[in-house]
């Protein structure tokens, strides 16, 4: 049984301590390995250069939360640093970064019922960052007035079993559309924005045991493809868009034991899109290296995402030029705290 967040959550200041391990290696074995300390150490060969990627010990942003399901890093207040948006038991909130990675919780909305996913982007094109949330049978966007005061607008209440929410210009018409993954319906639906934030639903794909969804141009052909994670099938896959929102599925991995979240980004700096997943039954965060032709090799970041891993994201949190990984792990208990963790990446070349 999940319990609610303390009422004074908005007054809590969270201090993040950065633990980073930097190493130089001359190994000629280009296979991923884990050191005894649990730090993933990986060498990759890229033509004439060698890349070394290391994931340092996780740094805790907060443990004083209950029943969190999603996190999203973004500069919400436009002050030049990365804040965090999250969904909890009945609250959508954001954590304000003071520029030194010390965070203060701020409430966006308290009208959510069992939230499942959160996203942040400028939905209405007015120059500030709005927030979207998906909860039981409801998808909403929270309009930012420019001063981080939010007004909630409902997109739909006609879907169930929501677990992933994204926003992007799916049809290339210049406005923000919304993508939803529904585990109960086993469907991916995109809500077409008419330019005035009125949305029309289109069902575009069906995925068994669907748990997570991400959208990005995987094959660099100019349209938006999909990446999905499934639980019962242990599958991570990408779905190729033919340019008319018709999709063909391709398997990336079938050993991610109950995938809970997926993300895609160029993690190793070789100009193609890699994929990241977090899975439940093996407590694993993994990334899948794209060879540039959409053939993927599996590498482990962590095997200690224990209890109930829920969400994974990647961005340059510390602005050092490489991509870091952020994860959310739920405890499934009112006693054991939930954790938002940051895996620091060191990307070296020689």
């Amino acid at each position: 049984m999940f319990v609610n967040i303390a009422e004074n959550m908005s007054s809590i200041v969270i201090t993040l301590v950065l633990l980073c391990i930097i190493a130089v290696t001359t190994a000629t074995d280009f296979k991923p390995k884990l050191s005894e300390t649990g730090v993933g150490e990986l060498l990759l060969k890229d033509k004439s250069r060698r890349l070394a990627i290391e994931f340092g010990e996780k740094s805790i942003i907060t443990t004083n939360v209950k029943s969190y399901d999603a996190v999203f890093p973004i500069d919400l207040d436009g002050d030049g640093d990365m804040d965090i948006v999250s969904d909890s038991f009945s609250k959508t909130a954001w954590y304000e970064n003071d520029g030194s990675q010390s965070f203060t919780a701020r409430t966006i909305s308290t009208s959510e019922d069992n939230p499942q996913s959160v996203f942040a982007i400028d939905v209405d094109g007015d120059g500030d960052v709005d927030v979207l949330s998906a909860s039981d049978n409801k998808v909403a966007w929270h309009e930012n007035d420019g001063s981080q005061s939010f007004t909630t607008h409902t997109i739909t209440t006609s879907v169930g079993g929501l677990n992933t929410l994204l926003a992007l210009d799916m049809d290339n018409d210049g406005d923000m559309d919304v993508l939803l993954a529904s585990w109960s319906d086993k469907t991916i639906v995109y809500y077409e924005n008419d330019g005035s934030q009125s949305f029309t639903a289109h069902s575009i794909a069906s995925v068994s045991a669907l748990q997570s969804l991400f959208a990005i141009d995987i094959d660099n052909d100019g349209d938006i493809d999909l990446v999905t994670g499934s639980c019962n099938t242990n599958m991570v896959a990408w779905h190729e868009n033919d340019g008319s929102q018709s999709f063909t599925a391709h398997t990336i991995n079938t050993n991610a034991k109950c995938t809970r979240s997926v993300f895609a980004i160029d993690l190793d700096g070789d100009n193609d899109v890699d994929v990241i997943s977090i899975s439940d039954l093996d407590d694993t965060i993994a990334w899948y290296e794209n060879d540039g032709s959409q053939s993927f090799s599996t590498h482990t970041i962590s095997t200690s995402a224990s209890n109930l891993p829920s969400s994974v994201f990647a961005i340059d949190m510390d602005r050092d030029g490489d991509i870091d990984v952020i994860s959310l792990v739920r405890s499934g208990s009112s006693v054991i705290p939930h954790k938002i963790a940051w895996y620091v990446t060191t990307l070296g070349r020689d």
Side-chain angles (χ1 to χ4, degrees), residues 81-201:
D81 53 43
M82 284 294 160
D83 309 300
I84 303 284
V85 181
S86 69
D87 256 1
S88 67
F89 184 77
S90 61
K91 180 188 291 185
T92 303
W94 69 286
Y95 294 85
E96 182 181 0
N97 188 346
D98 67 357
S100 301
Q101 286 63 253
S102 180
F103 296 83
T104 302
R106 314 285 188 191
T107 298
I108 294 172
S109 171
T110 57
S111 63
E112 314 308 308
D113 184 14
N114 190 25
Q116 300 294 323
S117 187
V118 69
F119 199 88
I121 200 167
D122 186 2
V123 174
D124 52 4
D126 64 351
D128 53 42
V129 177
D130 308 301
V131 174
L132 299 99
S133 61
S135 55
D136 275 357
N137 301 312
K138 179 182 177 181
V139 179
W141 72 282
H142 309 276
E143 182 181 359
N144 188 348
D145 67 356
S147 301
Q148 290 65 251
S149 179
F150 295 87
T151 302
T152 300
H153 306 277
T154 299
I155 294 174
T156 181
T157 58
S158 62
V159 292
L162 301 174
N163 51 18
T164 303
L165 166 69
L166 301 172
L168 72 167
D169 187 2
M170 193 71 187
D171 49 7
N172 293 315
D173 64 350
D175 53 41
M176 285 297 137
D177 308 303
V178 176
L179 273 174
L180 297 177
S182 171
W183 62 265
S184 61
D185 297 335
K186 303 177 183 178
T187 58
I188 299 171
V189 179
Y190 114 82
Y191 287 81
E192 182 183 358
N193 188 348
D194 68 355
S196 301
Q197 290 63 254
S198 179
F199 295 87
T200 302

Side-chain angles (χ1 to χ4, degrees), residues 25 36 46 61 78 108 113 124-125 169 188 202 216 246 257:
T25 177
E36 293 180 358
D46 178 15
I61 293 174
I108 294 172
D113 184 14
D124 52 4
D169 187 2
I188 299 171
H202 305 275
I216 194 170
S246 178
K257 299 188 183 303

Side-chain angles (χ1 to χ4, degrees), residues 68-88:
Y68 267 45
D69 270 286
V71 293
F72 192 98
I74 195 168
D75 184 3
L76 190 64
D77 51 5
D79 63 353
D81 53 43
M82 284 294 160
D83 309 300
I84 303 284
V85 181
S86 69
D87 256 1
S88 67

